[in-house]
Amino acid sequence: MAKTEAKPDVRPGCILTMGEILVEILATEIGQSFRQAGTLIGPFASGAPAIFIDQVAKCGSPCAIIGCVGDDDFGALNVERLREDGVDVSGISVIKAATTGSAFVTYRKDGDRDFIYNITNSASGHLSVSEIREHLLKDCRHFHVMGSSLFSFRIIEAMKSVIETVKANGGTVSFDPNIRKEMLRIPEMREALDFILDYTDVFLPSGHEVMLLASASTEKAAIDELLNRGVREVVVKRGKDGCSYYDGKDERHVQALPVTEVDPTGAGDCFGGTYIACRAQGMTVERALAYAGAAGARAVTYRGPMEGTATLAELDAFIKERAGVSHG
Ligand code: ATP
Ligand code: MG
């Protein structure tokens, strides 16, 4: 895609996302096995795009989500939570014949997580072009794609359709690959990821995902490849090692705030939601990265994927408390 330098990389205005809305149910012990009975905690509101958009709303940006829930309490829990936090939920369909998606999570001793998902056969699996709401597309200035949402051909088709419309209307696109290993079993996934990257203005991969979507053999070369392809900003998320920013001219590395991690799920989504909202509000890269890093760090101190979403005022207080630095 041709670069258009004069335009901001995240267009100000309504931020839209689309994808799975779930509840998450967590094992309470590290190393707990799902092959035997144990104590679980939940349901918690979840789904990567839902966490992302909840965080965007908490940052004070107008935003909406397109998704599907079942006609059940798991669905109501999510819709009420998103609405309360300021997300436009008019794009969430209630599918009578389906149940809301779910994810069960156990935490390994090495810090990794194992998930058992019920998404494809849940209400979220009903997402298709027919769920796209015209009024939301008309208002949308920025669309965020979560790679975890690309779990069916119908959703991939819907995602492509929204991306094309938003870009044709002069909007911008961000993409967090959030690749789950289960998804790579879909053979057309690579083609879909390539399609999305061709339209991506802001790319938000985790460290290990940078190489997954480029042919280069070093991270630096892979980032250059992505920038040459038309991506305008690459922000690499590195967990407790912070994050790095690249736009072809400028390169920044931001250390993570020191925290005690309770639950890593949702950090990347909170980081992404904050970064995109802050950029759409016209903040500098430096300020957006500071808020995004704080949002990610704060999120891991909360058990439950959406429980750590925070307002900018809460992030200011958190930054001050952790580093003695105010961004007011
Ligand atoms: P996920 O594995 O859930 O997809 P992710 O890889 O997208 O997560 P992370 O890199 O884990 O995202 O987290 C996003 C950001 O949040 C990091 O770049 C960092 O700024 C902050 N962060 C995450 N974990 C920690 C931590 N343990 N301590 C401090 N900051 C953290
Ligand atoms: Mg992620």
Side-chain angles (χ1 to χ4, degrees):
M1 299 216 89
K3 290 193 184 194
T4 40
E5 303 292 353
K7 294 179 187 166
D9 297 347
V10 180
R11 206 74 84 237
C14 190
I15 296 166
L16 178 68
T17 193
M18 176 165 76
E20 69 278 18
I21 296 171
L22 319 170
V23 290
E24 204 155 297
I25 295 165
L26 320 175
T28 53
E29 305 291 329
I30 305 285
Q32 192 172 323
S33 165
F34 280 152
R35 295 192 177 202
Q36 61 199 47
T39 308
L40 302 170
I41 182 170
F44 290 105
S46 190
I51 300 164
F52 170 90
I53 212 71
D54 192 77
Q55 179 56 42
V56 170
K58 286 233 175 149
C59 287
S61 288
C63 60
I65 184 167
I66 296 172
C68 299
V69 295
D71 189 10
D72 51 37
D73 285 345
F74 286 171
L77 176 153
N78 275 291
V79 174
E80 281 165 24
R81 171 66 187 279
L82 291 168
R83 185 190 287 123
E84 241 169 58
D85 288 347
V87 179
D88 177 343
V89 294
S90 62
I92 302 180
S93 302
V94 177
I95 309 288
K96 295 270 181 207
T99 52
T100 301
S102 56
F104 292 80
V105 191
T106 53
Y107 301 84
R108 283 198 224 159
K109 291 196 175 86
D110 65 6
D112 257 4
R113 289 158 288 170
D114 283 315
F115 292 85
I116 296 178
Y117 290 112
N118 167 33
I119 303 180
T120 314
N121 297 318
S122 76
S124 286
H126 287 247
L127 250 186
S128 70
V129 282
S130 60
E131 300 302 324
I132 298 170
R133 298 284 168 261
E134 290 309 319
H135 70 282
L136 295 177
L137 275 195
K138 194 164 67 58
D139 291 345
C140 173
R141 306 300 294 141
H142 182 87
F143 182 58
H144 179 76
V145 182
M146 279 291 179
S148 59
S149 309
L150 307 170
F151 55 81
S152 79
F153 300 119
R154 284 188 305 182
I155 293 171
I156 289 170
E157 187 193 1
M159 211 61 96
K160 287 179 172 177
S161 165
V162 174
I163 289 169
E164 281 175 334
T165 307
V166 169
K167 289 295 261 202
N169 291 344
T172 45
V173 167
S174 50
F175 177 35
D176 178 346
N178 228 348
I179 304 271
R180 305 287 177 222
K181 52 184 186 283
E182 297 83 358
M183 286 163 43
L184 293 171
R185 290 188 205 132
I186 303 178
E188 284 79 6
M189 188 56 71
R190 175 96 221 173
E191 185 271 328
L193 296 172
D194 271 335
F195 176 95
I196 295 164
L197 266 181
D198 279 338
Y199 286 91
T200 296
D201 298 285
V202 179
F203 185 46
L204 296 155
S206 306
H208 70 278
E209 290 168 341
V210 177
M211 311 287 286
L212 232 52
L213 294 169
S215 56
S217 56
T218 65
E219 187 190 271
K220 186 73 188 79
I223 287 163
D224 287 343
E225 189 181 318
L226 291 161
L227 293 168
N228 286 332
R229 168 179 195 161
V231 174
R232 292 142 62 99
E233 299 183 7
V234 178
V235 185
V236 182
K237 294 168 286 173
R238 306 189 192 278
K240 62 175 172 28
D241 296 322
C243 64
S244 308
Y245 168 92
Y246 309 85
D247 65 11
K249 292 189 209 111
D250 193 11
E251 184 175 323
R252 287 163 190 270
H253 302 278
V254 181
Q255 282 190 339
L257 296 175
V259 294
T260 305
E261 188 175 293
V262 175
D263 180 3
T265 313
D269 311 328
C270 289
F271 180 100
T274 306
Y275 185 75
I276 295 301
C278 289
R279 297 289 284 138
Q281 290 174 24
M283 283 185 210
T284 60
V285 166
E286 186 184 11
R287 194 146 180 246
L289 288 174
Y291 273 131
R298 190 177 178 281
V300 305
T301 67
Y302 285 79
R303 185 187 272 188
M306 205 189 279
E307 305 314 299
T309 55
T311 63
L312 293 180
E314 284 167 335
L315 294 177
D316 278 328
F318 186 74
I319 291 168
K320 211 167 176 180
E321 174 206 311
R322 290 287 130 184
V325 179
S326 172
H327 286 261

